[in-house]
Amino acid sequence: MKPHILQLNPILVPAINERLQALYTMHRLFEQPDPDNYIRRHGALMRGVITGGHTGISRSLMERLPALEVVAVNGVGTDAVDLAYARQRGLPVTGTFGALTEDVADLALALLLAVCRNLCAVDRFVRAGTWVRQPQPSALPLARRFSGLRVGIVGLGRVGRAVATRVAAFGCPVRYTDLREMADVPWTFEPQLLQLAHDSDALVLCAAADQAEGIVDAAVLDALGPRGVLVNVARGRLVREDDLVQALRERRIAGAGLDVFVDEPNVPPALFDMNHVTLQAHRASATEETRHAMGELVLESLAQALAGQRPTHSLTT
Ligand code: 8YV
């Protein structure tokens, strides 16, 4: 009999879905009209869970899955999984570590360039026919040069390092903050986020959110200042969103490029009218290449755990 796997989020790569279907009896909870009732009826069968980084899995759901042997996160963020409970139960929680680094860093760079060069606002200006109606050069404000800006990286993990490498190629001096200084990188460590913001033209958030909720608040935004740009490709809740909206509204920072939000898919409506903000829909890892590689790691983790081995990418066992 094929093992039963509970899937909390869709996977958008057909080849991965085909292999999941061939190997397992898949239960796609996101397609169920009454998920609670579905778990009541089938929860006892589930030996594995596949979930997204942002979705994770609650302790209460894990408690309703008594046969559970593995939680495979199709992502790198495990902040939405109760890791302490998983450890206590001896459950491996796996991630797709390393698979999405390049694409997330690429999107951070795209957002830096988009905000500095007003890419999306100017695109809207052209599409709306405004250029024809207002052909004078003064109809658009001058943009900001990105090359050479001082970039501060918050969280120098795999993604932070990949962002640092990219912006260094644009001639940007790089500083970073993290829980500790890293001896193997050429960039300058700054232990205080407030000081890093003060010394940066652009702050790029690449940190795990587990112990860093709300670290970017009004004081940090004011330290970044009216010429400063904030980019977030990590988690919305690293930022106090109300403080960010207010700082943008009052032009206390110059702009923001945001892929993640506190309450996705809900984005503060105040941001919709701001031309100095570029918005994405949590898309940093959403390329064919990365999602394929992530799917392979999910398949590998399930296979290892269900064969009684410790999954290579387990965080908890
Ligand atoms: C994905 C993410 O959007 O890796 C993460 O933690 O948030 C993203 O890469 C998500 O996990 C896809 O399911």
Side-chain angles (χ1 to χ4, degrees), residues 232-288:
N232 191 357
V233 288
R235 282 288 182 269
R237 63 197 182 88
L238 290 170
V239 181
R240 294 208 187 154
E241 221 164 49
D242 290 347
D243 287 2
L244 175 61
V245 169
Q246 201 171 338
L248 284 162
R249 193 184 277 132
E250 295 167 1
R251 301 268 178 174
R252 291 178 8 248
I253 65 169
L258 306 172
D259 185 42
V260 287
F261 304 88
V262 170
D263 180 29
E264 294 167 11
N266 299 303
V267 173
L271 299 179
F272 296 157
D273 295 329
M274 295 185 187
N275 268 339
H276 52 317
V277 177
T278 299
L279 302 172
Q280 287 286 290
H282 202 142
R283 299 281 295 163
S285 70
T287 68
E288 290 173 16

Side-chain angles (χ1 to χ4, degrees), residues 127-179:
R127 277 170 204 269
T130 317
W131 195 15
V132 175
R133 290 194 298 278
Q134 299 177 32
Q136 65 281 16
S138 60
L140 286 168
L142 291 177
R144 178 100 184 271
R145 177 189 294 165
F146 171 66
S147 288
L149 287 192
R150 298 168 304 160
V151 175
I153 312 269
V154 180
L156 202 72
R158 290 183 183 86
V159 171
R161 288 169 183 234
V163 172
T165 307
R166 280 159 177 71
V167 301
F170 280 72
C172 299
V174 176
R175 301 169 95 81
Y176 69 95
T177 193
D178 205 309
L179 299 178

Side-chain angles (χ1 to χ4, degrees), residues 71-150:
V71 173
V73 176
N74 187 30
V76 294
T78 49
D79 51 307
V81 181
D82 189 333
L83 295 178
Y85 171 74
R87 270 192 201 104
Q88 178 192 317
R89 208 170 132 176
L91 268 180
V93 174
T94 67
T96 61
F97 307 117
L100 46 66
T101 310
E102 309 305 328
D103 282 332
V104 177
D106 285 357
L107 191 78
L109 200 79
L111 287 170
L112 285 165
L113 287 164
V115 174
C116 288
R117 300 303 300 267
N118 300 333
L119 282 192
C120 299
V122 176
D123 178 273
R124 288 190 290 273
F125 177 85
V126 176
R127 277 170 204 269
T130 317
W131 195 15
V132 175
R133 290 194 298 278
Q134 299 177 32
Q136 65 281 16
S138 60
L140 286 168
L142 291 177
R144 178 100 184 271
R145 177 189 294 165
F146 171 66
S147 288
L149 287 192
R150 298 168 304 160

